[in-house]
């Protein structure tokens, strides 16, 4: 199978692509990874100008020669191009699997809303740089290449699910990218956010009527939380319990996702 | 007149109250400032527990002996108590003026949505600590005590207006606090946010259908923007121009508001 890799947010280094390709070659000899040259471009904060990032995404998504589109990494920037991209996607794009997380969540949301069936939250090539990152890359490839059940977040049997970064999800509510998650288990994770920001985002998320129709919320990992002065005085699980109780959304426990090498795959919708 | 001061978010120091009272005594001999003791409490991140902050707000708002309720400062925390507070407000609360900004925006939004007529974005006692802060405090008191037109943001003749911190406004969209701002000029300012976060918040704000019904957006000051690595490569005005153009919301220019001593008063709704 052939997997096309693009970077709708920020760029990766050539070295990261090499490392990811080496991991794939060792464990998945039938898989060909094709890093689009756009992955390595830089324009201000982004992996190339909006138009260039959108063109690369559309090129790979619409190419029937690729079985999957893999997001190179997160960062920031995909929200600027999702609507333009989705309007240009053809039938070959609907057959593909899409895998990424963090800032890629804007694109996953828009694709899922547009009825794409194979959209998933999970590891990306940039994760090859993490300690233990080879396991993350192998997990992603195991799911992309063969739907490996060992790659999946373990609670998925509960019903349809979706997973997002807390901040990203908060910042797409009410926009043209917000998918209908009624009846879904919503899994949320974050990185590098002060706990008061997470509390504030949960006020926003659980305060939206559309979100109150989810089946429940599961909390992934909140890592690298900067110190608060004074200490916020509540853990991320206490924050989630508080807002779930206030809003009447069932809190279903932890989810095995996060900005780390253990991040499991969460396909959107029914398994 | 008597002005009651409460802190629905984070606490102030006694010294700040003293400094503010001295400014008032020098310039406004007919004004009595009453700092509720709750202003000086600390509980974790907040100026007392949620219940204690809510009780203080309700006590002052419902007391016909006060002509105005002044927010002591911003920070974080008012979103946790707005709904509980508004449900407990009686007729005396509806006669009062309310003045604050930053995190107080959650409360201003909820009060305006609930039909309160004298809700305004403007300086707070905590501003007495700023360089040039005496002018900010005098401006606030000039508006609270006498509706001084010199205190007002200069573009208000354009029509009904409302003003918010960018992040706070983004984080109340779709919640029970979001006011109907159709036909209003929406003024937005922020402090200490990376430019990529401001860009992301503008995607969210201008992407909401309810916001697209405003008459236009004015940009206040974005101060103390942390350095981005790499540089974001666009100023706050370029970010606003981009998202306003994309969403079809008229960009009306700058607003004279911000986290600084020059922050002018913006009464919500028609003048």
């Amino acid at each position: 199978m052939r997997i096309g890799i693009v970077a709708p947010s920020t760029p990766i280094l050539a070295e990261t692509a090499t490392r990811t390709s080496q991991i794939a070659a060792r464990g998945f000899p039938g898989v060909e990874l094709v890093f689009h040259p756009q992955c390595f471009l830089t324009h201000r904060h982004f992996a190339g100008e909006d138009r260039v990032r959108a063109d690369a995404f559309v090129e790979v998504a619409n190419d029937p020669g690729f079985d999957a589109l893999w997001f190179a990494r997160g960062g920031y920037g995909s929200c600027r191009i999702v609507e333009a991209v989705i309007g240009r996607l053809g039938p070959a794009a609907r057959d593909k699997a899409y895998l990424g997380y963090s800032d890629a969540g804007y694109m996953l949301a828009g694709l899922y809303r547009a009825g794409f069936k194979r959209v998933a939250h999970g590891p990306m090539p940039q994760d090859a740089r993490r300690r233990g990152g080879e396991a993350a890359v192998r997990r992603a490839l195991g799911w992309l290449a063969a739907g490996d059940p060992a790659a999946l977040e373990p609670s998925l049997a509960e019903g349809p699910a979706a997973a997002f970064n807390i901040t990203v999800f908060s910042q797409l509510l009410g926009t043209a990218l917000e998918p209908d998650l009624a009846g879904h288990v919503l899994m949320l994770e974050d990185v590098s956010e002060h706990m008061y920001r997470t509390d504030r985002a949960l006020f926003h998320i659980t305060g939206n009527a559309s979100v109150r129709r989810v089946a429940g919320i599961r909390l992934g990992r909140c890592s690298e939380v900067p110190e608060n002065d004074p200490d916020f005085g509540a853990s991320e699980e206490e924050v989630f319990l508080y807002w779930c109780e206030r809003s009447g959304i069932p809190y279903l426990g932890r989810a095995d996702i996060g900005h780390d090498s253990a991040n499991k795959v969460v396909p959107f919708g029914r398994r």
Side-chain angles (χ1 to χ4, degrees), chain A residues 1-268:
Chain A
M1 81 176 300
R2 294 178 79 229
I3 299 171
I5 297 156
V6 293
S9 311
T10 41
I12 58 171
L13 298 174
E15 166 200 312
T16 305
T18 303
R19 202 180 302 184
T20 305
S21 296
Q22 287 166 347
I23 296 169
R26 279 197 293 273
F28 300 84
V31 170
E32 181 188 359
L33 297 188
V34 181
F35 284 86
H36 193 290
Q38 175 269 322
C39 291
F40 313 108
L41 298 179
T42 58
H43 171 72
R44 298 174 12 195
H45 190 99
F46 310 112
E49 294 183 19
D50 288 354
R51 176 76 194 189
V52 171
R53 304 199 310 286
D55 284 351
F57 193 102
V58 170
E59 179 190 329
V60 170
N62 282 343
D63 184 342
F66 288 113
D67 303 286
L69 184 153
W70 199 12
F71 293 83
R73 70 175 291 194
Y76 171 67
S78 73
C79 71
R80 298 171 61 99
I81 63 170
V82 181
E83 288 158 271
V85 161
I86 289 179
R88 296 166 61 195
L89 297 182
R94 291 194 171 258
D95 294 335
K96 281 189 177 56
Y98 297 83
L99 181 66
Y101 71 109
S102 196
D103 193 69
Y106 291 105
M107 196 68 82
L108 301 180
L111 291 166
Y112 190 58
R113 176 177 168 134
F116 285 63
K117 305 291 187 201
R118 298 175 64 203
V119 172
H121 184 277
M124 301 182 289
Q126 178 75 1
D127 288 310
R129 304 180 68 84
R130 295 188 189 277
R131 182 191 297 263
E134 175 157 356
V137 169
R138 291 175 63 95
R139 190 179 310 117
L141 291 170
W143 182 76
L144 285 168
D148 180 6
L152 297 175
E153 203 285 334
S155 73
L156 288 172
E158 288 174 351
F164 288 97
N165 175 271
I166 293 170
T167 307
V168 165
F169 187 67
S170 155
Q171 297 284 278
L172 60 76
L173 292 174
T175 73
L177 308 187
E178 184 185 349
D180 181 0
L181 299 181
H184 289 58
V185 174
L186 173 59
M187 303 184 191
L188 295 168
E189 62 81 43
D190 218 328
V191 63
S192 302
E193 296 289 349
H194 287 89
M195 197 53 67
Y196 82 88
R197 287 183 184 261
T198 297
D199 195 70
R200 188 168 63 183
L202 264 288
F203 160 76
H204 180 42
I205 289 170
T206 63
N208 266 256
S210 56
V211 179
R212 292 188 180 179
R213 288 155 48 219
V214 302
I217 287 179
R218 279 188 174 272
L219 168 61
R221 288 174 288 281
C222 292
S223 52
E224 298 170 39
V225 178
E227 271 195 43
N228 216 51
D229 181 23
D231 183 49
F232 188 73
S235 69
E236 56 268 38
E237 189 157 31
E238 288 167 329
V239 166
F240 270 62
L241 281 164
Y242 173 78
W243 288 107
C244 283
E245 186 181 352
R246 249 187 79 157
S247 60
I249 299 173
Y251 175 71
L252 303 175
R254 302 304 298 250
D256 191 8
I257 62 170
H259 272 66
D260 51 45
S261 296
N263 187 25
K264 301 299 186 296
V265 175
V266 179
F268 283 25

